[in-house]
């Protein structure tokens, strides 16, 4: 019903081959996108680790991102 993968140091979602694609966030640091940073640093280590819970509900992929406090 979809493609899930982790982690890429930043949460993301898109369509791939007509299916939902969900990339899980990192458990240690977040990759800052070019508009969020200057030259350095590339990683933000101050963000909370996160994970994604997936549910297949009547053939649909439902994903929930949760931060670990």
């Amino acid at each position: 019903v979809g493609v899930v993968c982790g982690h890429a140091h930043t949460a993301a979602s898109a369509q791939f081959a007509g299916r939902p694609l969900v990339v899980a966030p990192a458990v240690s640091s977040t990759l800052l996108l070019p508009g969020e940073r200057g030259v350095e640093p590339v990683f933000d280590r101050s963000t909370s680790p996160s994970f994604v819970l997936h549910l297949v509900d009547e053939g649909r992929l439902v994903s929930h991102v949760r931060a670990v406090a």
Side-chain angles (χ1 to χ4, degrees):
V1 298
V3 179
V4 296
C5 68
H7 69 276
H9 286 277
T10 189
S13 63
Q15 290 286 319
F16 179 77
R19 301 284 186 196
L21 166 69
V22 180
V23 180
V27 296
S28 63
S29 60
T30 298
L31 177 63
L32 297 174
L33 301 174
E36 297 177 301
R37 61 171 162 50
V39 176
E40 294 292 331
V42 174
F43 290 100
D44 180 359
R45 300 191 192 294
S46 67
T47 57
S48 297
S50 301
F51 63 96
V52 182
L53 297 172
H54 302 286
L55 170 68
V56 176
D57 182 23
E58 297 183 9
R60 297 176 303 144
L61 177 65
V62 180
S63 301
H64 301 272
V65 179
R66 293 293 184 260
V68 179

